[in-house]
Amino acid sequence: MYRRKVEEISDVVSAFLRQNGLETPLLQKRLIDKWDELYPAAVKYTGEKYIRNQVLFVKILSPALRQNLSMMRTDITQKLNDAVGAKIIIDVRFV
């Protein structure tokens, strides 16, 4: 039996997610999960994390850590986007 159109499963799954509007929420969830992997020292002081309008909001319980992280916002944004493989956020705000 000869198949004319053979596609990889990753392409089929990506197309399905994109068609059903699930690709962006999945990438956002992955990006939020990457925070704990990329910044393990801050996990102890991290509260709620969420994305709204392409901005990641992270509640930091330590004022000193919040100040230090605020100075590294562009680097953090770049690292998180690179870890996911897509430009999901454009900024990080620490509250």
Side-chain angles (χ1 to χ4, degrees):
M1 179 184 270
Y2 180 74
R3 295 183 184 168
R4 293 180 185 239
K5 187 176 180 184
V6 178
E7 297 182 41
E8 290 189 25
I9 190 73
S10 62
D11 295 336
V12 173
V13 171
S14 294
F16 174 79
L17 291 172
R18 198 172 304 115
Q19 289 173 353
N20 292 304
L22 300 172
E23 184 177 38
T24 301
L26 178 65
L27 290 173
Q28 288 177 345
K29 173 70 171 114
R30 286 181 182 167
L31 186 132
I32 289 172
D33 291 343
K34 288 291 180 182
W35 173 266
D36 294 343
E37 292 176 28
L38 293 175
Y39 301 100
V43 171
K44 185 166 92 172
Y45 303 102
T46 301
E48 182 181 13
K49 302 175 290 246
Y50 61 93
I51 297 175
R52 184 180 298 148
N53 296 329
Q54 291 186 316
V55 176
L56 174 65
F57 291 89
V58 181
K59 182 171 184 162
I60 302 294
L61 306 174
S62 167
L65 180 60
R66 185 181 318 127
Q67 181 64 31
N68 287 340
L69 292 174
S70 293
M71 290 187 277
M72 302 181 337
R73 283 180 21 207
T74 55
D75 292 335
I76 292 171
T77 303
Q78 185 67 37
K79 282 183 183 178
L80 288 170
N81 283 329
D82 290 345
V84 175
K87 187 171 182 177
I88 301 299
I89 58 171
I90 56 173
D91 195 14
V92 178
R93 302 247 171 94
F94 300 103
V95 291

